[in-house]
Amino acid sequence: EYWRTRPVYNPDVDVLSPSATASEQNIANQATAEGGWRFKVAVYTESAAGVPAGEEQYWSFAGENGAIDWNMVPAGLESEKEFLSQKHRLQWMLPQAKAYGFTKDEKYVLAWIEAWKSYNTAFPVPEGTTSAVEWSGLQPCCRMNDLQNVLPYYIHSENFTPEVLFYVLRTSYDHIESIRKNLTDDYTSNIRLSQEQSIVTAGLLMPEFKKSSEWFEEGAQAISDQLTAQFNEDGVHNEFDI
């Protein structure tokens, strides 16, 4: 009950007048057992080119006995590095949460709980540093940044039990601590900036953790430094990314 009424405001989430586009609802519906555990991964779709927006069909991660096969790779994409890395960012989570906020259909929160537990069981947090794709680079910080925006939608669900909350909090803590141990060496890269963003955001939005002040102070200083480190003297971004 505390977590449902705590005085922490996330400006990126609109729970008072939630909305979900047709495309977001399509993503949400497919990312369920009934939808075949078809998860959106970047721009990759199983459907042919030219399908109208909002009607794309994504690749199925359905395994045996209704389980999710997170190691699934579609034929022809075995060497596609972007697919192999971005599937670990769980980019379908936020559209599914928005669909829940818009419809209040409990199938979405139930699907997300099952998938989140399944993923963290398949890829447990490593100890110390790691080069595993699922726990390095943009992958864990993208998951964590989206998780912060997912929680306000789901926290009021009757299926969001104390057990689920504890699991979400534990995996959130594990994510942030692992990100801190695996910061990319390139300080001026967009990857490093995204990692620092996830750390400072967790410090702001999860002040209940004993390490939250560390996360905030560490991340805030890094973000401040990045205001100059990310740009060349002429004001152009150092990666030439408009």
Side-chain angles (χ1 to χ4, degrees):
E1 287 308 310
Y2 162 76
W3 274 80
R4 285 175 169 158
T5 59
R6 68 194 187 113
V8 176
Y9 173 65
N10 183 342
D12 286 337
V13 178
D14 183 2
V15 295
L16 296 180
S17 55
S19 63
T21 65
S23 179
E24 289 170 331
Q25 291 186 65
N26 179 44
I27 294 170
N29 287 329
Q30 292 189 58
T32 64
E34 298 83 0
W37 294 126
R38 294 180 177 273
F39 298 123
K40 171 179 167 56
V41 179
V43 298
Y44 301 97
T45 65
E46 187 176 13
S47 53
V51 173
E55 298 180 14
E56 301 92 342
Q57 178 170 284
Y58 301 102
W59 295 99
S60 174
F61 285 73
E64 297 181 356
N65 301 320
I68 303 174
D69 179 11
W70 296 106
N71 292 312
M72 190 283 301
V73 179
L77 296 180
E78 293 87 352
S79 60
E80 189 71 21
K81 291 184 178 180
E82 284 301 306
F83 181 91
L84 298 176
S85 62
Q86 292 204 37
K87 72 174 183 176
H88 292 287
R89 299 177 193 177
L90 308 189
Q91 296 155 328
W92 48 270
M93 288 200 306
L94 187 53
Q96 191 170 64
K98 292 176 70 176
Y100 172 74
F102 183 60
T103 66
K104 293 299 186 291
D105 191 330
E106 292 294 319
K107 73 177 182 181
Y108 295 126
V109 66
L110 288 171
W112 176 76
I113 292 170
E114 182 175 349
W116 183 250
K117 287 184 176 181
S118 171
Y119 184 86
N120 283 277
T121 299
F123 301 105
V125 61
E127 294 185 9
T129 59
T130 179
S131 60
V133 63
E134 62 270 12
W135 283 101
S136 58
L138 287 172
Q139 284 64 254
C141 58
C142 284
R143 294 195 300 269
M144 197 61 221
N145 288 340
D146 279 351
L147 183 66
Q148 298 287 359
N149 294 338
V150 162
L151 186 57
Y153 288 107
Y154 289 147
I155 192 68
H156 294 283
S157 166
E158 62 185 16
N159 288 294
F160 205 96
T161 63
E163 183 270 336
V164 172
L165 175 62
F166 293 150
Y167 191 85
V168 170
L169 294 179
R170 183 171 65 80
T171 49
S172 296
Y173 179 88
D174 288 345
H175 268 70
I176 296 302
E177 284 299 287
S178 183
I179 291 169
R180 294 177 75 194
K181 297 172 185 175
N182 290 283
L183 295 173
T184 186
D185 292 333
D186 186 352
Y187 186 75
T188 63
S189 68
N190 70 83
I191 296 176
R192 181 65 175 260
L193 179 58
S194 297
Q195 292 170 324
E196 291 158 348
Q197 175 193 351
S198 65
I199 295 170
V200 71
T201 301
L204 280 167
L205 298 181
M206 292 186 163
E208 292 80 5
F209 281 115
K210 291 181 179 179
K211 286 193 175 183
S212 63
S213 59
E214 291 181 35
W215 297 346
F216 175 74
E217 292 170 7
E218 175 185 319
Q221 183 60 56
I223 292 292
S224 296
D225 294 342
Q226 290 283 15
L227 289 174
T228 53
Q230 284 282 322
F231 297 92
N232 298 316
E233 292 184 0
D234 59 3
V236 175
H237 189 256
N238 69 312
E239 294 182 343
F240 303 110
D241 185 342
I242 295 174

